[in-house]
Amino acid sequence: MCGSTSPSPSAVSNPHPSSLAASVSLDTLRQHYDAVFLTYGASLDRPLGIPGEDTLLNVLSARTFVSWYNGHPYHSGLLSPPSLDLSKLDHATVIGQGNVALDVARILVKGVDALKPFDVPEPVLAALAQSRIRHVDIVGRRGPLQLAATTKELREMLNLPGVALATSSDDAALLDAAAAQVDAHPAMDGARAKKRALGLLRAGSKTLAADAARTWSLRFLRSPLELLPAGGDGAGAAAHAPGALEGITHPQGVGAVRYAHNELVSSSSSSGSDPSHASARATSTTSTSATSLVFKSVGYRSIGLPGVPFDERRGTVRNDGQGRVVAREGGEHVSGLYTSGWLARGPTGVVATTMFDAFAAADVVAGDLVAARAAGGGFAVEERPPLDARALEGSSGRRVVSWEDWEVIDRVERERGQALGKLREKVTSVDEMLALLH
Ligand code: NAP
């Protein structure tokens, strides 16, 4: 989509331009519709900002990996050589301890047989079947009380057959100390959920590490300082991360992560006395841990659109908290423009949270429509013809995909899945999707 007014600083074009996509400007949409909803989510990763992140092989964003195993067409080639070869890697590290980090770890340790009945594409299952990953470290900069992952997802990990949580004595002591803190501060934010999660983690997984095919760990109070290439000292790592040029001329795989060990300090906010809001502060202690694959899973970020008010700090379209886009904080509604979901609120919350946002925002639009009509102005649906898809096809030379078209693709995916004894087999190329519609 492109607009005619000045771009916001973070406004960038689609990060995955497709030769098959046609652009419709926001101005064009607004000419045809009384209300336009911006709900395109958060499609960028937050970077770590450390050496080696962009210059070493086998360092990737959790978002890319999640897109790959979900069959997203733009990422379906991720594990085609020479990108990433799971058959040559044995240890993965996920930076960040949210639910996305857990999703990545679960796919790596779960085992292909358990994934087969669902909708994981066959090429992904084939790559995972070759994987030699045996252990996944999930690393957080803060402690167990600040774990972003939720109880349900932790429980699922702990119950995976043949998979064990391996907890070091240091991290077990941190879990114990966190449980004592919840008991000492029963009014802390989310105390009950934290107590449940800590109880589960202290009890550990059903499978013991010694009997497990694969293991995972939650490691606390560590911030990555640098990613180091494989093949140097005894820990399997060279002394420094390659620079940009070296990364191109001598591509090397990641071999280790150097961490700063952190301590927790009270946050400066009004909730400073609540230990669950403590911040991480680096100490002078550092350590290096060998690994062969690193995932960055420290959150997502939305893209701004040219001409749409964007809050750079929060990474959201500026809005009044109810879905109306506003030009500035506390300012006037940009008539006819609405937003919802992660683009409106930031990248937090589960699917249900986003659904309820959408229901509430739809109510707001309906209310605005009724109010505008009562006032005798504003919305005038009947005077605006909807965008003519056929005319758009003619002018862009592209195929417009309708809801009915989507249903055709959906049916094919289900039929292919049924033939394979699974929920669905996804079509992972846009060309093939379009070919199904002719
Ligand atoms: P998240 O929940 O915000 O977790 C981000 C993690 O990255 C936190 O552990 C955070 O630590 C850490 N982090 C942030 N910046 C960092 C840095 N510079 N260095 C080191 N660590 C850093 O984000 P997410 O995992 O991407 O998930 C996004 C949302 O989707 C969440 O609301 C999540 O619950 C939801 N989701 C739900 C499901 C599900 O329901 N199954 C699945 C996937 C995602 P701090 O806490 O210290 O900032």
Side-chain angles (χ1 to χ4, degrees), residues 98-363:
N99 281 335
V100 171
L102 237 51
D103 281 348
V104 167
R106 193 171 58 249
I107 289 291
L108 290 172
V109 298
K110 189 163 178 167
V112 169
D113 287 344
L115 294 171
K116 275 183 182 157
F118 302 106
D119 60 358
V120 180
E122 290 296 301
V124 173
L125 291 176
L128 291 173
Q130 301 294 315
S131 168
R132 294 170 65 92
I133 298 286
R134 291 291 170 264
H135 181 83
V136 182
D137 274 337
I138 307 173
V139 184
R141 60 181 167 183
R142 299 193 286 163
L145 268 189
Q146 294 81 28
L147 196 62
T150 46
T151 309
K152 179 170 160 283
E153 283 63 35
L154 289 168
R155 185 179 287 119
E156 194 179 337
M157 279 293 277
L158 290 166
N159 287 339
L160 290 178
V163 175
L165 171 66
T167 304
S168 70
S169 53
D170 284 356
D171 288 326
L174 290 172
L175 289 172
D176 291 345
Q181 270 187 306
V182 181
D183 288 338
H185 296 82
M188 83 167 57
D189 265 359
R192 280 179 59 191
K194 288 185 190 305
K195 202 175 166 81
R196 263 200 308 276
L198 289 168
L200 288 171
L201 292 173
R202 290 169 79 206
S205 45
K206 295 212 166 109
T207 306
L208 297 176
D211 305 329
R214 296 180 194 84
T215 53
W216 60 287
S217 300
L218 287 169
R219 304 185 68 198
F220 300 106
L221 296 176
R222 281 170 172 72
S223 289
L225 292 172
E226 187 176 23
L227 305 180
L228 301 167
D233 59 24
H240 66 88
L245 186 59
E246 201 183 344
I248 296 168
T249 54
H250 296 94
Q252 291 167 282
V254 67
V257 187
R258 193 163 71 83
Y259 294 104
H261 291 218
N262 298 331
E263 60 189 1
L264 291 175
V265 290
S266 294
S267 133
S268 54
S269 71
S270 55
S271 54
S273 58
D274 184 334
S276 71
H277 292 279
S279 312
R281 181 169 66 192
T283 65
S284 56
T285 307
T286 63
S287 64
T288 300
S289 296
T291 193
S292 44
L293 176 59
V294 171
F295 294 95
K296 302 178 276 181
S297 185
V298 296
Y300 292 64
R301 193 176 161 80
S302 296
I303 302 172
L305 268 189
V308 175
F310 195 74
D311 182 331
E312 289 296 331
R313 195 180 52 81
R314 298 180 61 224
T316 55
V317 165
R318 243 180 237 291
N319 66 92
D320 67 353
Q322 297 187 63
R324 295 183 191 90
V325 174
V326 295
R328 60 193 148 68
E329 204 71 44
E332 288 268 299
H333 178 202
V334 181
S335 177
L337 213 49
Y338 297 84
T339 182
S340 182
W342 282 14
L343 186 60
R345 190 169 32 82
T348 60
V350 297
V351 173
T353 325
T354 311
M355 279 170 57
F356 285 113
D357 278 356
F359 298 150
D363 278 345

Side-chain angles (χ1 to χ4, degrees), residues 27-167:
D27 287 346
T28 303
L29 283 176
R30 295 183 69 190
Q31 282 160 24
H32 288 275
Y33 298 96
D34 291 307
V36 174
F37 259 96
L38 302 170
T39 58
Y40 52 84
S43 49
L44 297 180
D45 317 299
R46 284 212 197 107
L48 291 173
I50 59 172
E53 176 178 10
D54 300 318
T55 51
L56 288 170
L57 302 177
N58 304 334
V59 178
L60 61 157
S61 79
R63 183 185 55 80
T64 306
F65 190 70
V66 170
S67 296
W68 169 71
Y69 72 67
N70 278 311
H72 190 299
Y74 295 146
H75 296 285
S76 54
L78 176 70
L79 268 73
S80 315
S83 304
L84 181 64
D85 185 351
L86 290 176
S87 71
K88 296 197 166 70
L89 310 172
D90 57 6
H91 183 287
T93 299
V94 189
I95 307 294
Q97 289 186 327
N99 281 335
V100 171
L102 237 51
D103 281 348
V104 167
R106 193 171 58 249
I107 289 291
L108 290 172
V109 298
K110 189 163 178 167
V112 169
D113 287 344
L115 294 171
K116 275 183 182 157
F118 302 106
D119 60 358
V120 180
E122 290 296 301
V124 173
L125 291 176
L128 291 173
Q130 301 294 315
S131 168
R132 294 170 65 92
I133 298 286
R134 291 291 170 264
H135 181 83
V136 182
D137 274 337
I138 307 173
V139 184
R141 60 181 167 183
R142 299 193 286 163
L145 268 189
Q146 294 81 28
L147 196 62
T150 46
T151 309
K152 179 170 160 283
E153 283 63 35
L154 289 168
R155 185 179 287 119
E156 194 179 337
M157 279 293 277
L158 290 166
N159 287 339
L160 290 178
V163 175
L165 171 66
T167 304

